[in-house]
Amino acid sequence: MQFIKKQTTEPIDWNVWFTVPPDRRTFNYGTDCSSLPRIREAKQFLIDEQHSLCAYCQQKIDIDNSSIEHVTPKEHNKELSTSYFNLVAVCNKNQVKDHLTGKFHCDRERGSNIIPPVIFYSNTKSVANKTNFYFTAYASGEIAAKPSLEITIRNQIEAFINILNLNHSTLKDNRAKGALRGMTAAYSSLPDKSHKKSIFWRKQYDRILNNQFHPFREYLLVYIGSKIGLN
Ligand SMILES: [Zn+2]
């Protein structure tokens, strides 16, 4: 649930990064990816563009634990397989199978299934005084499509969550027990009638809003947004 703002044009070196010796721009990543000597530079560009967060789950990623992901799978469209506008960076290592379902998450779970390109919808981004338009976040770490959505959009959001298994038990734990618990504990320890208590969540919201590198940023903004009266 990461909004990814793409540049309006390909990065200046994109052609170089996707050129197979001797000087042929590849349009078939599936066949040529092992022959691209500068492919890591393309991956690093995508990681930087996403503030070092997985395009799907918003966990922290770096050059060694991530992979280049085709939003429209390369099996479905070779032409798009090296298009800047179709590529993002996602987590791919350090995943364990969900102890309940035996499933992975993100690219490792979706395989070549088609997903709605939710990460390119502008309303997938929380902005000041307005939370993400599509998702609801729960204290358990679960995310869901916002119930008020029109049915065709709601189906897309639910498909996005389900195909990528974004409610994998580890992801839920990392959101609720990792990212959120420290804040909840700090809130609980404030005196009941303290002035600070009333502005506590607002401060947390602003802190995360201003840190585009914060893991699970959209989850936290949606969850905290509901506490301070944002929809
Ligand atoms: Zn991920």
Side-chain angles (χ1 to χ4, degrees):
M1 54 190 296
Q2 154 105 317
F3 170 65
I4 296 171
K5 186 170 171 48
K6 287 285 185 186
Q7 298 180 174
T8 53
T9 55
E10 264 186 5
I12 209 148
D13 286 329
W14 199 259
N15 265 312
V16 177
W17 297 333
F18 285 88
T19 293
V20 181
D23 300 332
R24 176 177 61 83
R25 161 80 188 258
T26 179
F27 291 97
N28 188 345
Y29 186 86
T31 302
D32 294 339
C33 62
S34 60
S35 307
L36 292 166
R38 295 181 62 179
I39 191 65
R40 278 171 72 90
E41 292 173 66
K43 184 159 78 164
Q44 188 62 56
F45 182 92
L46 296 172
I47 292 169
D48 292 344
E49 182 171 70
Q50 296 166 210
H51 310 289
S52 301
L53 301 179
C54 170
Y56 298 145
C57 71
Q58 286 210 307
Q59 293 198 105
K60 206 93 181 157
I61 53 172
D62 61 34
I63 191 81
D64 294 317
N65 66 14
S66 61
S67 58
I68 290 178
E69 160 77 345
H70 300 76
V71 178
T72 295
K74 53 186 180 298
E75 294 84 351
H76 290 268
N77 191 325
K78 280 183 190 171
E79 302 278 304
L80 283 176
S81 73
T82 61
S83 164
Y84 159 69
F85 302 101
N86 188 44
L87 300 192
V88 294
V90 294
C91 67
N92 80 337
K93 288 188 181 160
N94 309 324
Q95 285 195 23
V96 293
K97 286 184 177 178
D98 189 309
H99 56 83
L100 294 175
T101 64
K103 291 180 171 182
F104 291 106
H105 57 82
C106 297
D107 176 41
R108 287 189 68 178
E109 184 56 35
R110 75 76 69 108
S112 58
N113 287 314
I114 298 279
I115 53 164
V118 172
I119 53 176
F120 298 138
Y121 297 175
S122 60
N123 283 335
T124 313
K125 182 184 188 183
S126 294
V127 293
N129 297 318
K130 188 168 179 291
T131 59
N132 183 302
F133 188 76
Y134 294 115
F135 293 90
T136 298
Y138 297 99
S140 64
E142 187 170 345
I143 58 170
K146 201 166 270 189
S148 58
L149 289 174
E150 192 261 316
I151 185 69
T152 54
I153 297 287
R154 198 167 80 215
N155 287 343
Q156 289 185 47
I157 303 302
E158 285 173 355
F160 180 80
I161 292 171
N162 291 334
I163 292 169
L164 297 167
N165 196 27
L166 295 180
N167 284 317
H168 185 292
S169 57
T170 303
L171 290 178
K172 284 202 294 186
D173 282 355
N174 288 348
R175 293 180 196 125
K177 296 177 185 170
L180 196 58
R181 186 162 65 181
M183 277 183 266
T184 307
Y187 180 79
S188 301
S189 69
L190 292 172
D192 273 349
K193 290 181 180 174
S194 157
H195 170 62
K196 281 182 180 172
K197 196 158 190 169
S198 65
I199 60 172
F200 176 84
W201 287 113
R202 182 79 228 183
K203 277 190 168 175
Q204 300 300 322
Y205 182 86
D206 289 341
R207 178 175 66 83
I208 294 162
L209 186 70
N210 291 324
N211 181 3
Q212 295 191 303
F213 295 84
H214 199 298
F216 305 114
R217 181 170 176 269
E218 289 298 331
Y219 161 78
L220 290 167
L221 289 173
V222 172
Y223 180 76
I224 297 169
S226 68
K227 290 188 169 297
I228 60 173
L230 303 178
N231 289 317

